[in-house]
Amino acid sequence: MATQTTAERARKPRRGERRVVSNIVRGSIGNLIEWYDWYAYTAFSVYFASVFFPSGDQTAQLLNTAAVFAVGFLMRPIGGWILGRYADRRGRRAALTLSVTLMAAGSLIVALTPSYGSIGVAAPILLVMARLLQGLSVGGEYSTSATYMSEVATPGRRGYYSSFQYVTLIAGQLTALGLQIVLQQVLSPEQMGSWGWRIAFVVGAAGAVIVLWLRRGMDESESFERAASEGDKEQDGPARGSLRLLLSYPRQCLVVVGLTMGGTLFFYTYTTYLQKFMVNTSGIEKPTAAWINFFALLVFVLLQPVMGLLSDRVGRRPLLIAFGALGTVVVVPSLTLLSHTSDPVYAFLLMVGPLAVSSLYTSISAVVKAELFPTSIRALGVGLPYALTVAVFGGTAEYIALWFKKAGHENWYFYYVTACVLISLLVYIRMRETSDASPLDEDVSRSRD
């Protein structure tokens, strides 16, 4: 009997670990499709910029699409608030299912909207509406996904498991770029500009339907179920997921803003904007720029779990400080050199180097934020201050960069990014280590009592 009991105890952790992996995979695949849909816009905007806006020079049309991209980011704080509140009150799984539904609707609108030449000003209006829906979706997806993956992860390996949020986030961008490369090989430039780009958004809408089915099989977070049960018994104080409760954590909210500002601007500069930079400034051909982005982002993906695992060993704060220090010195020289080269190999190195620096931040960004807040306010605490910061700095990155270029001072943007990373570095130096005795660890301790 003793031997049987020992065997059962040995099997139980393995079953639990398998269930953790299953939940992480289901959540991650949904995250991939969400971010594929989001990045398909910027990957294919070089082709559909002339479809939705009046004729003009290339920079002006790209400026218009970048403005719509920024408008989508304005909805992310609203998505972070609405879906974060929904996740803290109704559950992580329910919020994740709702977010992917909104993303599918936005992608379908983009895929089916006629050109400016056919319906006039209604074309850019519908494009804006689609991006508003997608911005709402992504605002909720990030916070809820970060919360869910950190809560279901095995204690002591949260950095590693949570890093898969950015693995799938970047994999979504890679998928968009990969599809772009395939379409470039089978379609002519005229076909790509006429209708080929619409395929990307049809694929995104179809993928979202599959994710809806997968997410219905996810387990709800035990942390949420416990907090919901205790919340039903304790009626005193602010409600779960309320702004009133969030305002009782001002320091944590400010930390989220400070650590996100430089990280998100750096990330969007070297991912979504750099492809346009290579085409519009370096003079690299569109297909070549797509290949450079694809392979650089592939390296970036592989670095995420490595850095996440490292953070479980040495802590989150040392990685953030390393990112801030290296990020402040790499931006100006890398972008300056890239602006003066059309060599694909050199351009790849100038992209992958800063992305390696960025991985010090991106791999642990989600778990650091989740470790700041208790369960009752975690999704909203992660989502709202993060989304506000991303809207202001990440969402405007392309627009500000192109505006500086159009004004004849493109290099000013390089110093703008550097200054924001430097401010975040000061926050990293002053913040406490989050992996030590975080509210997530308190959840685990209470579950063992």
Side-chain angles (χ1 to χ4, degrees), residues 235-253:
Q235 299 298 325
D236 297 334
R240 285 181 293 116
S242 65
L243 285 174
R244 183 183 169 194
L245 181 58
L246 180 62
L247 291 175
S248 63
Y249 295 92
R251 183 188 66 82
Q252 289 88 338
C253 290

Side-chain angles (χ1 to χ4, degrees), residues 260-271 323 326-328 330-331 353-359 413 417 421:
T260 301
M261 181 175 67
T264 192
L265 181 57
F266 192 96
F267 171 77
Y268 279 102
T269 296
Y270 285 97
T271 54
F323 160 71
L326 294 171
T328 55
V330 77
V331 177
L355 283 179
V357 173
S358 183
S359 68
Y413 177 75
V417 177
V421 175

